Amino acid sequence: TNTWDAGVQLTAVDGASNDQFGYSVSIGGDYAVIGANYDDTGAGSNAGSAWVFRRTGINTNTWDSGVKIVAGDGASNDQFGYSVAIDGDYAVVGAFFDNTAAGSDAGSAHIFGSIQE
């Protein structure tokens, strides 16, 4: 038989209505990255964000409170966090409505690395 534990719910500390936290998720090793593509940030409405959580104990239900990441060049309606992936110490977050030199809503992906303390 296959047995699963009761699980744990991860949430954004600053979560608000319509953020769509959990729209995209990825897990790798002891890390989980979760997108909130409609999060209103200092960059504007629906700029989006992502959260990286780390498992902190041997128990699968013990996770830290998370670290929020945003695009350095974020703007309203970028929807940063629409897609996420994590592998080892690197996370990639998509912002498919990001305006770039290629044009309006051309989209982009941002790569973040873990800073070891």
Side-chain angles (χ1 to χ4, degrees), residues 53-72:
F53 295 88
R54 183 175 59 92
R55 188 171 65 102
T56 57
I58 59 170
N59 182 331
T60 58
N61 292 336
T62 308
W63 293 78
D64 67 10
S65 58
V67 175
K68 183 176 185 173
I69 54 177
V70 297

Side-chain angles (χ1 to χ4, degrees), residues 58-96:
I58 59 170
N59 182 331
T60 58
N61 292 336
T62 308
W63 293 78
D64 67 10
S65 58
V67 175
K68 183 176 185 173
I69 54 177
V70 297
D73 64 348
S76 290
N77 299 313
D78 279 355
Q79 291 196 27
F80 178 86
Y82 184 84
S83 56
V84 297
I86 195 161
D87 185 29
D89 292 336
Y90 293 94
V92 62
V93 181
F96 82 113

